[in-house]
Amino acid sequence: MYIDAYQHRAGMNCETTCMRNVLAVSGVEFAEEVLLGLDGGFGFGYFERRDNGPDIVIGRQQIFSGQAMRLLGVRVRSSQAGGPAILLDHLKHGRPVIARVDLSELPYWNNHGGAPFGGYFVNVVGYEAGQFTVSDAGFEQLQTISEEALNKARSSKRSPPINPENWCHVVDSVCGKADLAKVGYFAVDNCVREVLKPSINNLGMPGLKQFAAGVRNWSQTKTGTVTMQLWSDGANHAVPALFCQLVSLGRAIEVFGTGGGLFRPMWSRFLRIFGDLVGDERLLEAANTMGASGELWTTLGRNLLQVGPDTSQAALQAQLDQVIDTVECIQQLERKVMDGLRSVGPRTALKAASAAPSTSHAHFA
């Protein structure tokens, strides 16, 4: 059993890739950057560990908010039912399933249970003889996974506060076409509001401020040794806690489905695409500044991924000092972006949209 209309395509980010590929089955085609921008999930999250394990850093504030789908006139049905039955039922009706999972529990990733992350998504698109076929953004080919393994990945509790909790989503129907010039402004306005005044201080600009403070303390809080999977041989090793923290941050920035630069380059491209569509210089200026922040994040992440387990404590401290300096620059740039976009909202959309030249919606695809 396989959904013939589904076309697997790898992508930059698990969530936006899943949305793009599922929407394409219904004849709706959008670029990942646009889906990221419309979903309002861009932002920042920082969660300190109580032990000396690596603190969690994420570049989004919401996980599958559904906002992009609603703004595009797409009705989505969501569920938290565990087990294979719900997946099989959707597949029988020709509906690919966007399933939230713990990345570390996907056997084909060969993570050996390391680096739990319960905010990962795959599309479930087929089933045969006890094996599900999944479409994973990180792979050029479809993957297979057993019922047992997929159930374990969907129900994992290894990555609080970001556990998958058996969430899954399917497209129910597509209702007309959205006015992208208007809904785009709404998405930007909503995103800026959430980043500046999030529901908890671990998120958005307050979270970035907490992160900057936490980084300064890592030389005292990340001491001793921890167990970490090294990608050089795929095995778990005892390594210095500070090394583990620095490399884990590098992976969060560059490797784990952010499109590089902790989503900043992706969101910058969305602002540019949207700014060009509506002819709004404020959006284009914000795109440039966010692009500069993205370059800092990318450089930082790539440098951290070059750190080796045998690096001396003095060299680790020097690398940490560089992280501290870079994060301070990033804070200034991203505060400038958010402050500059405060006045860009749905109420100003009508003026900007009416002043802009007529542009095809194809610019968003």
Side-chain angles (χ1 to χ4, degrees):
M1 176 170 53
Y2 179 78
I3 299 175
D4 293 330
Y6 184 88
Q7 179 183 356
H8 171 70
R9 288 178 286 171
M12 294 177 287
N13 164 248
C14 63
E15 190 172 331
T16 54
T17 298
C18 284
M19 283 195 287
R20 179 198 64 188
N21 291 355
V22 165
L23 287 173
V25 174
S26 300
V28 180
E29 189 72 44
F30 287 92
E32 284 192 69
E33 293 91 342
V34 174
L35 292 172
L36 175 72
L38 294 182
D39 208 45
F42 168 84
F44 189 81
Y46 176 61
F47 299 91
E48 290 186 89
R49 290 276 295 266
R50 294 183 178 180
D51 55 19
N52 61 348
D55 296 347
I56 297 173
V57 175
I58 53 179
R60 301 190 65 173
Q61 292 185 212
Q62 301 180 54
I63 297 178
F64 206 93
S65 70
Q67 177 177 284
M69 298 291 206
R70 291 191 295 273
L71 292 178
L72 293 172
V74 178
R75 292 177 178 169
V76 174
R77 189 188 313 174
S78 301
S79 169
Q80 283 186 280
I86 187 169
L87 304 178
L88 292 171
D89 181 64
H90 286 312
L91 292 176
K92 288 176 183 176
H93 290 86
R95 294 188 291 258
V97 185
I98 301 175
R100 182 169 164 180
V101 295
D102 180 344
L103 175 65
S104 70
E105 298 289 0
L106 300 175
Y108 56 83
W109 271 88
N110 294 317
N111 279 340
H112 306 286
F117 177 62
Y120 199 72
F121 289 86
V122 296
N123 285 339
V124 183
V125 297
Y127 178 84
E128 184 175 355
Q131 297 282 324
F132 282 101
T133 301
V134 298
S135 174
D136 190 315
F139 294 82
E140 294 297 331
Q141 304 296 327
L142 292 167
Q143 303 295 314
T144 58
I145 182 172
S146 69
E147 285 186 20
E148 180 182 3
L150 183 55
N151 184 63
K152 187 176 180 181
R154 294 184 61 219
S155 61
S156 169
K157 299 184 183 300
R158 299 182 60 235
S159 116
I162 310 171
N163 288 324
E165 299 178 339
N166 290 307
W167 277 109
C168 65
H169 316 272
V170 295
V171 170
D172 221 10
S173 61
V174 178
C175 311
K177 294 183 178 180
D179 184 338
L180 294 173
K182 292 182 180 179
V183 300
Y185 274 104
F186 175 85
V188 170
D189 181 72
N190 190 53
C191 179
V192 171
R193 184 174 60 254
E194 291 294 326
V195 169
L196 289 175
K197 295 184 178 181
S199 57
I200 58 174
N201 285 333
N202 299 81
L203 304 178
M205 293 306 299
L208 188 56
K209 184 178 180 180
Q210 283 193 21
F211 174 58
V215 167
R216 296 187 190 97
N217 293 327
W218 279 353
S219 56
Q220 287 77 45
T221 59
K222 307 305 174 185
T223 59
T225 60
V226 297
T227 300
M228 182 184 193
Q229 183 195 35
L230 299 182
W231 289 349
S232 56
D233 61 7
N236 292 325
H237 296 265
V239 298
L242 182 56
F243 161 81
C244 179
Q245 176 62 79
L246 293 174
V247 173
S248 295
L249 176 59
R251 292 176 180 179
I253 296 169
E254 280 296 292
V255 179
F256 292 147
T258 69
L262 206 69
F263 295 103
R264 273 57 186 163
M266 284 184 71
W267 204 60
S268 172
R269 290 195 293 273
F270 161 69
L271 292 174
R272 180 163 300 282
I273 292 168
F274 183 45
D276 283 338
L277 174 68
V278 296
D280 193 327
E281 290 296 329
R282 297 167 299 176
L283 293 167
L284 298 177
E285 181 180 351
N288 289 336
T289 306
M290 186 55 69
S293 177
E295 290 177 4
L296 289 177
W297 279 111
T298 292
T299 300
L300 176 61
R302 290 177 179 175
N303 288 343
L304 293 176
L305 291 175
Q306 298 303 312
V307 178
D310 298 325
T311 303
S312 68
Q313 188 64 32
L316 289 175
Q317 183 60 51
Q319 187 68 65
L320 178 58
D321 292 339
Q322 184 61 51
V323 174
I324 293 170
D325 292 341
T326 302
V327 171
E328 288 181 356
C329 294
I330 286 170
Q331 275 187 289
Q332 295 174 12
L333 288 172
E334 298 194 1
R335 168 60 70 173
K336 179 181 178 182
V337 171
M338 295 302 156
D339 287 343
L341 290 176
R342 277 183 171 184
S343 61
V344 180
R347 291 184 179 179
T348 60
L350 294 176
K351 289 183 180 179
S354 62
S358 177
T359 308
S360 169
H361 288 172
H363 282 248
F364 272 77

